[in-house]
Amino acid sequence: QLQASGGGLVQTGGSLRLSCVASGRTFSSYVMAWIRQAPGKERDFVAGISWSGRSTSYADSVKGRFTISRDNAKNTVYLQMNSLKPEDTAVYYCAADRDAVIRGPSPNWSPSIYDYWGQGTLVTVSS
């Protein structure tokens, strides 16, 4: 129901734009988020956006470099990633949370809060 795409291989300092398209149901009332999992590490919150798009939240590690946005008419969420670093290398997942507020980043954040997950898209940043 959530299909992520746009990953690939990019050099340090480069940019990528990830997309997450929803099908089978509408997610316009859901908080949407991007979560990533680097090799050998746990899943981490990257960015979240409210249902209206007016509120966003970012992990400190990506603030100022990544931008999350959504187009509810297209049932699509985006993650614009600029100034990429090797430490951004990970599988990036989009996820949907039926809660009314963005629940990340937070010490209590857990990937289990999300109701729906996409399949992930691999981003590799070469040094």
Side-chain angles (χ1 to χ4, degrees):
Q1 290 181 318
L2 294 175
Q3 182 77 27
S5 63
L9 175 63
V10 64
Q11 291 186 332
T12 296
S15 298
L16 283 174
R17 188 194 196 201
L18 306 184
S19 298
C20 174
V21 180
S23 61
R25 66 177 298 137
T26 180
F27 288 93
S28 59
S29 63
Y30 283 65
V31 165
M32 298 298 293
W34 288 96
I35 292 97
R36 68 186 180 186
Q37 186 167 22
K41 296 188 177 182
E42 296 182 343
R43 293 188 180 186
D44 284 330
F45 175 88
V46 175
I49 188 166
S50 63
W51 70 269
S52 67
R54 286 194 286 266
S55 295
T56 57
S57 180
Y58 297 92
D60 287 343
S61 59
V62 306
K63 277 182 182 176
R65 300 188 298 122
F66 290 11
T67 302
I68 188 171
S69 61
R70 68 189 297 164
D71 185 337
N72 287 337
K74 296 181 179 180
N75 234 7
T76 303
V77 179
Y78 305 97
L79 186 68
Q80 178 66 44
M81 304 186 296
N82 299 328
S83 302
L84 283 161
K85 305 175 181 180
E87 51 264 43
D88 294 318
T89 294
V91 176
Y92 285 71
Y93 300 89
C94 60
D97 180 7
R98 63 166 56 97
D99 200 273
V101 297
I102 306 169
R103 294 187 279 175
S106 163
N108 297 320
W109 180 87
S110 166
S112 64
I113 65 175
Y114 298 99
D115 302 289
Y116 298 93
W117 286 83
Q119 88 290 358
T121 185
L122 177 62
V123 172
T124 303
V125 184
S126 62
S127 57

